[in-house]
Amino acid sequence: MRTYTFILIYAIIILIPQTAQCSEGSIDGWEYINFTYNFKRHPKWSIGGYFEHHNSQYKHFESCFTRFTVGFSPISWLKTTMSYDILRSSHHWINRIVPEATGTLSICNVKIALRERFLYTWCPAKSQQSHELRSRIKAQYHIPKTRFSPYLASELFTTDARWTKIRYYVGTNYQINKHLNIDWYYLYHVFKNSDSKHILGLGLNINI
């Protein structure tokens, strides 16, 4: 019961309009809920749902998207997924097909993961299509006898073999129980042709 109450409170927090007032040049906010169900009879397969909300300087809505995912792990250290995204920006609805593959190396309490994610995007209102490759490397350490697992990550965005953005993450996961963990992070978002952004993120991961 406590688990469901916590999930409900968190969902309300990220779905309500952002109305807090902040000074110019302050940090943007990203919040997400991620759900994964692993089939007991077919443990290599999983399904998932994901919702992420972006707000600008905690003043007004910027964008949000919902993702539906099917996952398959052919071997223990490799997971592949195929996802469909519905994204709402301040002006248009956008669709994305997102195949990805993640390889993970575990050494004692350290995990190093390399993820390759391809995004094919189309916007019916504008009759526009685009594609993008995102390559992320993440190093995470579980602190013994605690529920904390801090991490560092870097993600490179490329289009037509040219980089367009880079994301640098520092954060930590906190394991509430075997089904729930919270993700807190700071993200420095570098753009090739525009100003960089500072972002604070909060996520809730649900695994069943």
Side-chain angles (χ1 to χ4, degrees):
M1 185 64 183
R2 291 181 180 178
T3 297
Y4 294 118
T5 301
F6 180 87
I7 294 171
L8 177 61
I9 293 172
Y10 182 87
I12 292 172
I13 290 173
I14 75 164
L15 289 173
I16 60 175
Q18 301 293 331
T19 59
Q21 296 298 311
C22 301
S23 60
E24 291 299 322
S26 62
I27 296 174
D28 291 352
W30 291 3
E31 301 86 24
Y32 74 81
I33 295 179
N34 181 41
F35 169 81
T36 304
Y37 176 79
N38 298 288
F39 292 96
K40 294 181 180 179
R41 293 187 177 181
H42 305 280
K44 292 185 177 182
W45 290 92
S46 64
I47 57 174
Y50 183 95
F51 176 81
E52 186 168 290
H53 177 277
H54 297 177
N55 56 81
S56 179
Q57 299 183 10
Y58 291 93
K59 289 183 177 181
H60 57 266
F61 169 82
E62 187 174 79
S63 66
C64 67
F65 74 90
T66 302
R67 171 172 292 164
F68 304 96
T69 300
V70 176
F72 177 68
S73 299
I75 48 181
S76 61
W77 56 268
L78 178 64
K79 182 174 183 179
T80 62
T81 63
M82 178 64 74
S83 304
Y84 171 67
D85 293 355
I86 304 172
L87 187 148
R88 175 61 177 172
S89 68
S90 56
H91 302 291
H92 302 288
W93 288 98
I94 298 171
N95 303 276
R96 293 191 302 210
I97 297 295
V98 189
E100 68 176 63
T102 304
T104 304
L105 173 66
S106 298
I107 305 174
C108 297
N109 291 325
V110 177
K111 288 186 178 181
I112 300 174
L114 177 63
R115 185 185 72 191
E116 296 291 342
R117 173 181 285 174
F118 180 80
L119 293 92
Y120 172 72
T121 304
W122 73 96
C123 178
K126 290 186 174 182
S127 299
Q128 290 182 347
Q129 302 179 33
S130 64
H131 59 85
E132 181 177 63
L133 178 65
R134 300 183 183 181
S135 303
R136 189 193 71 178
I137 186 167
K138 178 180 179 180
Q140 187 164 27
Y141 174 72
H142 175 68
I143 302 174
K145 299 180 180 180
T146 75
R147 299 187 180 193
F148 289 96
S149 300
Y151 63 85
L152 296 171
S154 177
E155 186 172 20
L156 177 66
F157 293 57
T158 56
T159 300
D160 296 327
R162 297 180 180 180
W163 79 274
T164 56
K165 312 173 195 174
I166 303 177
R167 292 177 178 175
Y168 299 101
Y169 298 81
V170 56
T172 186
N173 288 112
Y174 178 79
Q175 195 72 40
I176 299 172
N177 55 42
K178 64 179 181 179
H179 298 299
L180 295 176
N181 79 74
I182 296 177
D183 179 21
W184 289 288
Y185 64 89
Y186 163 74
L187 165 61
Y188 182 55
H189 203 170
V190 180
F191 299 85
K192 185 175 183 180
N193 298 316
S194 61
D195 295 337
S196 301
K197 288 186 177 182
H198 300 276
I199 296 163
L200 286 180
L202 174 64
L204 174 64
N205 296 292
I206 306 165
N207 294 282
I208 298 176

